[in-house]
Amino acid sequence: MSTDALRKRYDDAAQGHLLTFWPKLSEAERTSLQGQLEALDIERVNRIFKKAIASEKELANPSTPADPIEPLPKDLSDSVVGNPAKEREWAKVGLEAVARGEVGVLLMAGGQGTRLGSSAPKGCYDIGLPSHKSLFQYQAERIARLQSVAAAQAGKDSVVIPWYVMTSGPTRRDTEEYFKSHNFFGLDPKNVIFFEQGTLPCLTMDGKVFLDSPSRVAVAPDGNGGLYAATRAPLTPGDKTHTVLSDLAKRNIRYVHAYCVDNCLVRVADPVFLGYCISKDVECAAKVVPKASPTESVGVVAYRGGKPSVVEYSEISKEQAERVDENGELTFRAGNIANHFYTTAYLNKVESFEEDLAFHIARKKIPHVDLETGQVVKPTKPNGMKLELFVFDVFPHTERFAVLEVARSEEFSPLKNAPGTGSDNPETSRRDLLSQHKRFLESAGATVKEGVEIELSPLVSYAGEGLDSVKGKTFSKSGIVSSVEELDVLV
């Protein structure tokens, strides 16, 4: 695109100020800025801004009737808790889909471990296990184990679960290098596909795009809901037709499990969840855990205005939060854990209603270049906004939706806070994972003495299976177990 055409496009969009410093830029700087501006869909940015502002005003207007918040209809939800027969039935359906090669996994792993005191990608974090395995390694080994279990049950030589790892601009290079330096944790590199979360420009309060240098637009990640647009973006600059969605189609993947990297207990490509969703013939679903208490600060999956939504804890009244059903359980208890199922047909459909989604506004202190002086300004109070989508913003647009409740102790222990903070930190993650391994052994008929810590590699057992040989044994020594045979050393 010529400079004149580019300038006209941005003038027409009322964003011509982004070329303020053009006459003073070097050739390299001009090339860089032109590349950014050509790639940016500035008309879409303007539409997103207008819709976000309009939506915010509508919600803040006291005369706007609030959509009623109601519990999920009973036929849309079920639970594995206390339902071993259903769990086995769903697991069989899910494993068969895995064995047919119809299941893929989307990992949201764009964040850095900043709050944990680390600048590395969060998935590289070591929660202090005896093995010192990272979150990435644990999840990779769960995929490897599940591939083996599914192949064995189906009488196949091998089964593949492709793993699509969504990074961000700041974490892309480090994530890829980490996987390469660890030989992809035993997975075939061609089945681990890296892609990048999108960004949106940072805006002034009246919707003007900031420059963070005379030749660079200020941008920020577009939220975990950027996952959907990212699946449509080219995986490499050289081939604009190769995307996550095209790769899923090429592999004939029908079902996708998506989750966040920071949960050490996550069951990657969980056959039970997959089987439940396939059996109910839904296009999108959420896995949830029961709220720990009425006041727990967690969003819940509920109905808002007759449509499935995630309702933030601040939007639910005290009376609603404390309400119980006929079983004495909280009526609004479906705690959201960012753990989702999609059909690939649904992921392809998101683009058709994405324009209807209102981005959320986060008002922030945004460093920028003063357009008159060219100097960098570091504000002391919020001066602009970042726009983001949440991964659950698509729920209200889902025609066939369902929720599966699972036990928190078995499937959810998030890593959010720094060491020593008391909750959702490395110490609680370590404790919860090792406690689960103890339960696996005890459920298989073993006794684990008080104070003994045994870490079971995911390559040994995905969810407690394959441990029949420990029945009747008493374990008195702590240790790391990489094969079932190694357990005998700890008796």
Side-chain angles (χ1 to χ4, degrees), residues 140 143-144 147 159-165 172 175-195 235 242 247 251:
I143 290 174
Q147 289 177 159
V159 164
V160 170
I161 303 171
W163 197 15
Y164 300 86
V165 181
R172 175 73 179 262
T175 301
E176 291 198 39
E177 286 301 319
Y178 186 74
F179 272 75
K180 287 173 185 171
S181 66
H182 289 82
N183 296 313
F184 289 79
F185 311 106
L187 298 175
D188 188 332
K190 72 172 181 285
N191 298 321
V192 181
I193 300 95
F194 299 99
F195 67 113
L235 290 171
H242 189 199
D247 199 82
R251 295 171 183 265

Side-chain angles (χ1 to χ4, degrees), residues 52-316:
I53 290 292
S55 176
E56 188 180 64
K57 282 181 179 174
E58 185 179 1
L59 288 172
N61 186 345
S63 64
T64 303
D67 286 329
I69 296 170
E70 303 162 306
L72 288 166
K74 291 199 180 302
D75 63 334
L76 288 193
S77 62
D78 213 324
S79 177
V80 300
V81 182
N83 275 328
K86 280 186 179 177
E87 191 171 357
R88 286 191 296 272
E89 177 189 327
W90 294 328
K92 181 175 182 293
V93 173
L95 264 180
E96 288 169 353
V98 171
R100 290 192 300 268
E102 295 175 349
V103 173
V105 173
L106 282 173
L107 167 59
M108 292 172 274
Q112 293 169 295
T114 312
R115 278 202 278 176
L116 305 168
S118 167
S119 60
K122 210 172 189 182
C124 301
Y125 197 83
D126 169 9
I127 60 174
L129 292 167
S131 67
H132 295 290
K133 289 178 181 177
S134 65
L135 294 168
F136 278 141
Q137 182 164 356
Y138 247 79
Q139 291 159 29
E141 291 182 354
R142 286 190 182 124
I143 290 174
R145 171 66 182 173
L146 189 58
Q147 289 177 159
S148 299
V149 170
Q153 292 210 7
K156 290 188 167 185
D157 291 335
S158 64
V159 164
V160 170
I161 303 171
W163 197 15
Y164 300 86
V165 181
M166 186 174 79
T167 67
S168 61
T171 63
R172 175 73 179 262
R173 183 191 295 264
D174 288 347
T175 301
E176 291 198 39
E177 286 301 319
Y178 186 74
F179 272 75
K180 287 173 185 171
S181 66
H182 289 82
N183 296 313
F184 289 79
F185 311 106
L187 298 175
D188 188 332
K190 72 172 181 285
N191 298 321
V192 181
I193 300 95
F194 299 99
F195 67 113
E196 201 166 306
Q197 180 179 358
T199 59
L200 281 170
C202 301
L203 304 175
T204 65
M205 296 301 188
D206 56 358
K208 302 296 184 187
V209 175
F210 277 118
L211 287 170
D212 72 5
S213 83
S215 62
R216 190 171 63 238
V217 173
V219 297
D222 55 4
N224 57 17
L227 167 74
Y228 306 107
T231 62
R232 303 192 300 269
L235 290 171
T236 56
D239 183 358
K240 297 198 180 301
T241 64
H242 189 199
T243 65
V244 169
L245 291 180
S246 75
D247 199 82
L248 288 165
K250 182 180 173 185
R251 295 171 183 265
N252 296 314
I253 301 296
R254 297 181 64 192
Y255 312 110
V256 172
H257 177 224
Y259 69 96
C260 285
V261 75
D262 62 2
N263 176 15
C264 70
L265 295 181
V266 65
R267 295 191 178 178
V268 186
D270 177 20
V272 176
F273 187 34
L274 290 164
Y276 167 72
C277 296
I278 293 167
S279 299
K280 286 188 75 70
D281 188 30
V282 297
E283 56 184 4
C284 174
K287 184 183 279 193
V288 300
V289 297
K291 280 183 69 171
S293 70
T295 56
E296 184 183 8
S297 301
V298 62
V300 295
V301 184
Y303 255 39
R304 191 206 302 267
K307 295 179 179 179
S309 302
V310 170
V311 181
E312 296 301 337
Y313 61 92
S314 57
E315 299 176 287
I316 293 180

Side-chain angles (χ1 to χ4, degrees), residues 380-399:
T380 55
K381 60 183 181 181
N383 64 314
M385 60 179 72
K386 297 178 180 181
L387 298 170
E388 57 184 10
L389 275 181
F390 299 147
V391 70
F392 52 74
D393 284 336
V394 300
F395 287 1
H397 298 267
T398 306
E399 292 173 14

